[in-house]
Amino acid sequence: MRRTSNLAVNTRFSQRTGVLFPAPGSAVRFARDWDNPVDRDAVGIYLPDVPVPLGWLYRKDANRPVVLAALDAGKTVDGRLIAAASKPKVEFWL
């Protein structure tokens, strides 16, 4: 099933990685962000081969429980960035 969520952008991403914010259509992967001190169930959105999250799913995102369940079951969750007028979004399939 195709799903879309807003991306809570990591404002320090470029500073920490030296990588500019990617263009819409860029591939992303979802993984638990165990290093997040604010949210123990944080779902990080990562670029391939970059260990710092580009951003996170919002805590109140309706898709977050389904993503957490899939990740906890060992499934891989991949997606892509999509353009949005006000905020970046991620599109993925579960």
Side-chain angles (χ1 to χ4, degrees):
M1 174 181 205
R2 180 182 166 274
R3 297 172 185 262
T4 303
S5 290
N6 289 320
L7 175 66
V9 175
N10 180 355
T11 58
R12 297 182 186 165
F13 176 78
S14 292
Q15 288 176 325
R16 293 182 64 199
T17 64
V19 176
L20 296 177
F21 197 85
S26 296
V28 294
R29 65 179 172 80
F30 292 62
R32 282 186 167 266
D33 181 3
W34 297 111
D35 296 327
N36 189 314
V38 178
D39 182 3
R40 66 176 216 170
D41 285 328
V43 176
I45 310 301
Y46 296 84
L47 293 174
D49 302 321
V50 179
V52 175
L54 178 64
W56 301 271
L57 289 183
Y58 284 97
R59 287 182 187 169
K60 294 183 179 182
D61 188 298
N63 292 313
R64 185 170 144 153
V66 177
V67 172
L68 284 169
L71 293 172
D72 289 346
K75 294 182 182 177
T76 301
V77 181
D78 295 316
R80 67 184 178 105
L81 292 174
I82 57 176
S86 59
K87 292 185 177 189
K89 294 184 180 222
V90 287
E91 179 181 64
F92 56 100
W93 298 263
L94 280 177

